Amino acid sequence: MGENGGFSSLGLGFSFASSADLLVGQDVQIRPGTVTSAGGVITVTTDLVRLWPSQVTGQVGSINSGSGTFYADEPLAFVHRCDAAITTITVQMLPGMDFEDFPNQSSLAAGNTVSVKGLLFNTSGTPTLVTRTVSGHNGD
């Protein structure tokens, strides 16, 4: 498979290297080869699958400032296009974060509704979205 957007150099241990790393709802870019259809199932053969940034809006559950993570509960924009069984996404904040609508990380609180955009990885337990930007969301 394809690329991981350079996050491997940060030592975070996330992987996007095989079909086991795919998650329903991820945004990916492919280079299609052949396309076939049988019994209503479309199959695309490709030689490139690249992980693309996904955007998720949800409510902040709990925050772990020591690890730079928080949990987005009920990730609204994500649930509408994938498996509704995913009710929580771990958001991994990177150094040099941009907190739009928040002065800094310490002003982020449980209950805030936020939008985050970044690479979404199929990690054990809950999916993990790696981001550099957290934006406030006012339901607009």
Side-chain angles (χ1 to χ4, degrees):
M1 275 185 37
E3 303 175 11
N4 63 10
F7 286 118
S8 61
S9 63
L10 295 171
L12 297 174
F14 299 122
S15 175
F16 189 75
S18 74
S19 60
D21 297 323
L22 288 171
L23 176 67
V24 173
Q26 280 175 318
D27 289 320
V28 296
Q29 177 187 41
I30 66 166
R31 181 172 44 215
T34 59
V35 179
T36 58
S37 178
V41 176
I42 297 173
T43 303
V44 178
T45 303
T46 180
D47 64 350
L48 174 74
V49 178
R50 180 179 294 153
L51 189 56
W52 214 247
S54 297
Q55 182 157 347
V56 175
T57 298
Q59 192 172 60
V60 175
S62 60
I63 301 170
N64 183 335
S65 56
S67 67
T69 61
F70 68 87
Y71 295 98
D73 293 332
E74 302 176 27
L76 310 172
F78 184 72
V79 169
H80 291 298
R81 61 174 208 243
C82 72
D83 184 352
I86 298 172
T87 59
T88 303
I89 292 177
T90 301
V91 177
Q92 174 70 56
M93 298 178 286
L94 295 172
M97 283 289 300
D98 182 12
F99 290 92
E100 297 175 0
D101 307 316
F102 298 98
N104 53 41
Q105 179 179 342
S106 62
S107 63
L108 189 63
N112 290 140
T113 299
V114 297
S115 293
V116 291
K117 185 173 185 177
L119 298 181
L120 182 65
F121 294 93
N122 187 10
T123 51
S124 176
T126 63
T128 299
L129 188 137
V130 179
T131 189
R132 290 193 191 279
T133 304
V134 175
S135 302
H137 184 78
N138 298 316
D140 45 346

